[in-house]
């Protein structure tokens, strides 16, 4: 983070032909409200050191004994090396203490309870603001309705998206799909008239950062595109953990603002049956692997077996069971035996909580060799101005820091990339075998490969380049374009092979939309 920030400041000064101080002020003016930066690195940058030197000098980066010195840029000059190893020769002690103290902000008594609540919410994937405790919220971020269907009454625990209507919602909207009241022409409740027997169902995602739709806007570090507008969504991004579930391929429901269009399984289910409005849950977490899914399901899943509609559950941990930042990455990958145990445990929990008639789709792991093959020699957003930082350098830097999102794939070591893909295939075969052999009382199980090859082929036919299917900043996650194309392929496969999973198309959709519009709804 420090290297990133200092790099951006240096490049801003270069691009606008200004002083470093002016560049810091410019960046501070771009960033909204209380997110503004401190200019503590000024004295270091002014000495014309590179970002690695500055950040090591501030002790925001460290070098463990016996470990290599991690650096993104070319090694610093000799006279800077001495300063690097002896930071107090030019950094005041209070400056370092101010950085060190920031990490202990939760130690303040007035903030301790708030910090604990935030930790609880993030750990259990629950809305921060949920007054009735039904796991749905009227607030968008902090695990609010960007992640789950929006609550329409946060003071009543029996009102939430996905439930079967209470007395056909003649008097009020108990399932938040916007359909309630009685038709004055015949006295029949609208919900009964339009939704009875319509195979209403919701979509639930159990996933990792790809499902949560992790994204860092490239404009945040590309100085030629940087402006105040670039940072308008910074508070939303941080309070959603740098995830964008509102645009994701499974639960997205808003028009995308991050480099592509939104197409999602939820939107297609909603279009197929307007009664499915708001019935979505994105229970995903950055860095999640199969061992975590079963552990947090009991806290996070909002589905009542007796009161709610069936659900389509997508189980998609597409990379983290083989991806980690450890030097001995192979030793830390999930084994096939562990994968079997983890997934079956989660499915058994689902069987005890999902309404009868639900469906579970297990998604195989991705073949991540695609990442290195298509990105390693391209310039990263940080390196586009001076053509000095490639994705290969970014991958090596993160690997040195042991924070690589995937040491097994983001590496020049072809043998290691192949071994990582071999393990990913083994784990996918475990999922395939579970779908073939395991039986459950309340849902059936399906398997589908992660549609990377089909997505690449379709994008190529549309005239796109394959690197555009990958997130530009982290060089790891699927981009917005890949997410939208993946939805299309998944939907087509489901229509052809599992039509019963998607439910019937509601013949009353146009009438529902017309009445809803007359009532001033959105």
């Amino acid at each position: 983070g420090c290297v990133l920030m200092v790099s951006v400041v240096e490049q801003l000064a270069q691009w606008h032909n200004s002083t470093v101080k002016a560049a810091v002020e410019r960046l501070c003016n771009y960033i909204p409200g209380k997110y503004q930066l401190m200019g503590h690195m000024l004295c270091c940058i002014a000495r014309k050191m590179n970002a690695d030197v500055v950040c090591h000098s501030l002790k925001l980066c460290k070098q463990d004994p016996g470990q290599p010195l991690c650096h993104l840029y070319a090694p610093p000059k000799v006279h800077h090396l001495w300063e690097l190893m002896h930071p107090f020769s030019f950094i005041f002690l209070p400056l370092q203490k101010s950085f060190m103290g920031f990490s202990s902000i939760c130690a303040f008594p007035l903030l301790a309870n708030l910090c604990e609540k935030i930790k609880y919410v993030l750990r259990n994937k629950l809305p921060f603001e949920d007054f009735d405790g039904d796991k749905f919220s009227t607030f968008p971020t902090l695990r609010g309705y960007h992640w789950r269907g929006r609550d329409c009454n946060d003071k009543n625990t029996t009102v939430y998206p996905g439930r079967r209507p209470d007395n056909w919602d003649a008097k009020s909207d108990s399932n938040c799909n916007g359909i309630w009241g009685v038709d004055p022409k015949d006295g029949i409740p609208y919900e009964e008239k339009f939704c009875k027997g319509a195979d209403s169902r919701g979509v639930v995602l159990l996933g990792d950062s790809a499902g949560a739709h992790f994204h860092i806007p490239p404009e945040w570090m590309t100085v030629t595109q940087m402006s105040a507008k670039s940072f308008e969504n910074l508070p939303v991004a941080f309070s959603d953990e740098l995830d964008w579930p509102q645009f994701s391929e499974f639960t997205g429901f808003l028009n995308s603002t991050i480099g592509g269009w939104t197409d999602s399984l939820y939107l297609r289910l909603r279009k197929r049956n307007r009664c499915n409005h708001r019935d979505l849950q994105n229970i995903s977490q950055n860095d999640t692997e199969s061992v975590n899914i079963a552990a947090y399901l009991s806290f996070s899943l909002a589905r009542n077996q007796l009161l709610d509609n069936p659900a389509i559950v997508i189980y998609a941990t597409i990379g983290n069971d083989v991806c980690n930042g450890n030097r001995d990455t192979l030793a830390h990958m999930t084994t096939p035996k562990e994968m079997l145990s983890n997934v079956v445990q989660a499915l058994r929990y689902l069987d005890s909580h999902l309404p009868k008639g639900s469906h579970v789709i297990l998604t195989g792991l991705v073949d991540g060799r695609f990442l290195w093959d298509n990105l390693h020699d391209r310039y990263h957003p940080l390196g586009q101005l001076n053509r000095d930082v490639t994705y290969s350098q970014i991958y090596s830097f993160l690997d040195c820091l042991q924070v690589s999102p995937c040491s097994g794939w983001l590496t020049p070591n072809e043998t290691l990339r192949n071994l990582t893909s071999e393990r990913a295939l083994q784990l996918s075969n475990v999922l395939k075998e579970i779908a073939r052999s395991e039986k459950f009382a309340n849902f059936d199980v399906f398997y589908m490969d992660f549609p990377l090859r089909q997505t690449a082929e379709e994008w190529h036919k549309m005239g796109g380049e394959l690197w555009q299917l990958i997130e530009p900043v982290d060089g790891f996650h699927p981009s917005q374009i890949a997410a939208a194309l993946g939805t299309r392929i998944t939907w087509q496969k489901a229509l052809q092979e599992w039509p019963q999973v998607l439910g019937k198309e509601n013949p009353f959709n146009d009438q529902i939309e017309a009445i809803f519009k007359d009532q001033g709804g959105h």
Side-chain angles (χ1 to χ4, degrees):
C2 177
V3 168
L4 161 66
M5 200 60 62
V6 174
S7 298
V8 167
V9 170
E10 289 176 332
Q11 291 183 30
L12 272 174
Q14 177 186 347
W15 180 248
H16 292 282
N17 195 24
S18 70
T19 64
V20 170
K21 181 179 179 182
V24 172
E25 292 172 350
R26 183 185 299 274
L27 185 58
C28 287
N29 289 331
Y30 286 163
I31 296 176
K34 297 180 181 179
Y35 288 82
Q36 289 186 1
L37 303 170
M38 300 293 288
H40 289 320
M41 72 285 285
L42 277 174
C43 60
C44 310
I45 304 176
R47 297 168 70 99
K48 300 186 184 301
M49 303 179 191
N50 69 30
D52 298 311
V53 175
V54 171
C55 295
H56 277 281
S57 299
L58 290 174
K59 288 199 169 180
L60 293 177
C61 300
K62 64 177 182 176
Q63 181 185 11
D64 293 329
Q67 298 297 326
L69 180 70
C70 300
H71 58 89
L72 180 60
Y73 296 91
K77 296 177 182 178
V78 175
H79 71 277
H80 287 156
L81 274 176
W82 185 86
E83 294 170 331
L84 179 62
M85 305 311 296
H86 299 82
F88 292 110
S89 64
F90 66 100
I91 297 293
F92 292 112
L93 183 62
L95 173 59
Q96 188 193 13
K97 283 186 175 180
S98 70
F99 277 110
M100 302 302 288
F102 181 77
S103 63
S104 302
I105 191 169
C106 287
F108 289 101
L110 293 176
L111 296 176
N113 289 338
L114 179 63
C115 288
E116 284 305 309
K117 183 176 180 182
I118 291 175
K119 289 177 185 177
Y120 177 83
V121 163
L122 297 181
R123 183 169 62 246
N124 298 310
K125 326 297 175 292
L126 295 172
F128 180 84
E129 187 177 276
D130 177 18
F131 296 110
D132 56 14
D134 58 9
K135 301 182 181 179
F136 294 91
S137 177
T138 59
F139 189 75
T141 60
L142 290 173
R143 293 281 165 168
Y145 68 76
H146 281 173
W147 300 81
R148 302 168 187 252
R150 184 172 182 168
D151 201 342
C152 53
N153 186 343
D154 208 18
K155 298 179 181 179
N156 188 336
T157 190
T158 65
V159 175
Y160 54 84
R163 68 160 294 173
R164 297 188 187 117
D166 180 21
N167 194 28
W168 292 115
D169 284 357
K171 295 184 178 180
S172 62
D173 189 3
S174 67
N175 56 14
C176 300
N177 68 357
I179 305 169
W180 64 280
V182 175
D183 189 339
K185 297 177 183 177
D186 51 24
I188 300 175
Y190 290 121
E191 182 96 35
E192 180 179 5
K193 178 179 287 190
F194 297 140
C195 301
K196 184 177 182 180
D199 274 356
S200 297
R201 60 197 61 198
V203 57
V204 178
L205 173 64
L206 308 177
D208 52 21
S209 52
H213 210 44
F214 184 84
H215 168 78
I216 298 175
E219 299 82 12
W220 289 3
M221 56 190 71
T222 309
V223 298
T224 56
Q225 303 173 22
M226 195 176 292
S227 66
K229 186 175 178 59
S230 306
F231 293 94
E232 281 180 349
N233 52 20
L234 185 88
V236 171
F238 278 145
S239 53
D240 268 337
E241 305 156 54
L242 290 176
D243 296 322
W244 306 74
Q246 67 272 35
F247 306 140
S248 80
E249 64 178 299
F250 296 110
T251 62
F253 61 93
L254 293 177
N255 290 331
S256 171
T257 59
I258 59 172
W261 64 99
T262 300
D263 192 0
S264 71
L265 187 60
Y266 162 72
L267 282 177
R268 289 182 176 244
L269 283 171
R270 183 188 179 281
K271 184 176 181 180
R272 190 174 181 84
N273 180 3
R274 180 62 179 71
C275 302
N276 291 331
H277 182 50
R278 289 186 181 170
D279 194 356
L280 63 100
Q281 297 180 54
N282 191 319
I283 306 175
S284 299
Q285 175 75 36
N286 299 337
D287 296 324
T288 286
E289 51 189 295
S290 61
V291 69
N292 307 123
I293 295 286
Y296 66 60
L297 254 179
S298 57
F299 295 100
S300 307
L301 181 68
R303 213 66 179 182
N304 187 300
Q305 201 163 43
L306 299 178
L307 298 178
D308 298 347
N309 286 319
I312 302 173
V313 178
I314 297 94
Y315 186 108
T317 54
I318 66 171
N320 287 326
D321 282 284
V322 297
C323 284
N324 57 74
N326 296 289
R327 295 244 162 81
D328 53 343
T329 180
L330 290 170
H332 289 80
M333 293 179 186
T334 302
T335 66
K337 183 178 180 180
E338 290 169 339
M339 190 73 168
L340 176 64
S341 174
N342 295 338
V343 176
V344 169
Q345 184 182 353
L347 292 178
R348 286 173 179 163
Y349 180 86
L350 289 173
D351 200 29
S352 66
H353 285 76
L354 289 179
K356 197 170 185 63
S358 296
H359 310 276
V360 174
I361 300 173
L362 304 177
T363 301
L365 280 70
V366 69
D367 184 349
R369 288 175 292 192
F370 183 88
L371 302 167
W372 179 268
D373 292 346
N374 289 283
L375 280 186
H376 75 277
D377 57 351
R378 293 188 59 82
Y379 288 111
H380 185 270
L382 269 182
Q384 289 175 5
L385 179 64
N386 295 311
R387 303 178 73 81
D388 58 350
V389 178
T390 64
Y391 281 94
S392 177
Q393 290 170 259
I394 289 285
Y395 294 156
S396 295
F397 180 54
L398 296 177
D399 189 53
C400 179
L401 295 171
Q402 298 185 56
V403 295
S404 170
C406 197
S407 293
W409 275 325
L410 309 183
T411 173
N413 186 331
E414 183 179 7
T415 300
L416 184 54
R417 298 200 303 270
N418 291 338
L419 288 172
T420 304
S421 288
E422 182 181 321
R423 177 63 62 86
L425 180 60
Q426 292 171 359
L427 300 186
S428 295
N429 287 336
V430 169
L431 296 174
K432 192 179 298 185
E433 178 59 22
I434 290 173
R436 189 192 67 82
S437 61
E438 296 287 338
K439 304 298 178 186
F440 299 90
N442 292 306
F443 57 82
D444 42 14
V445 186
F446 304 88
Y447 171 83
M448 69 169 291
D449 288 318
F450 186 84
L452 178 61
R453 179 181 56 80
Q454 300 96 315
T455 301
E457 290 174 354
E458 186 157 343
W459 183 234
H460 184 70
K461 290 177 184 175
M462 296 170 67
E465 297 189 53
L466 297 185
W467 59 266
Q468 295 170 311
L469 299 176
I470 308 170
E471 273 292 310
V473 170
D474 60 54
F476 179 66
H477 291 90
S479 68
Q480 184 68 28
I481 295 169
L485 292 175
T487 298
R488 184 184 303 174
I489 293 163
T490 301
W491 185 262
Q492 290 169 347
K493 179 179 177 64
L495 279 178
Q496 294 167 4
E497 300 183 23
W498 323 314
Q500 74 277 24
V501 172
L502 305 177
K504 296 179 293 190
E505 188 162 1
N506 193 331
F508 301 110
N509 280 335
D510 290 342
Q511 295 178 56
I512 295 171
E513 292 289 355
I515 290 177
F516 203 52
K517 186 178 292 185
D518 288 344
Q519 294 175 343
H522 299 280

